[in-house]
Amino acid sequence: MAHELVCWKCGASLADLTLPLRRLEECPKCRAQLHVCRMCREYDTRVTGACREQGAEEVRNKEGANFCDFFRPRPGAYAGRGAATDQALSELNKLFGPR
Ligand SMILES: [Zn+2]
């Protein structure tokens, strides 16, 4: 099954992994666990518990493998994350100095 998932943590391609993700699947590059809230379509920091799925039990560790039945991997889990953007900005500031 073709997909374009990337690691939520480092952005590495997960194209070699087969879906559905196993619960203890790890990123081949940084070893981050992948069956986690941060990798899920329902993950949304703007809602209570950071999950849009009302029926899901709250998962406290958003970066650890969970047992959630509603888990669905999100292809853009890495791109556009706030933290990643902040990091990119601070890297730029290091290179070019703050404006
Ligand atoms: Zn990774």
Side-chain angles (χ1 to χ4, degrees), residues 6-12 14 26-32 34:
V6 295
C7 173
W8 60 269
K9 195 167 192 177
C10 74
L14 304 177
E26 294 179 336
C27 169
K29 190 170 176 189
C30 74
R31 294 288 157 204
L34 299 175

Side-chain angles (χ1 to χ4, degrees), residues 52-73:
R52 287 192 297 253
E53 173 51 59
Q54 300 289 317
E57 278 185 44
E58 185 175 346
V59 177
R60 289 178 185 277
N61 183 358
K62 307 297 184 193
E63 303 182 1
N66 62 46
F67 289 97
C68 186
D69 291 333
F70 297 97
F71 178 79
R72 282 186 300 150

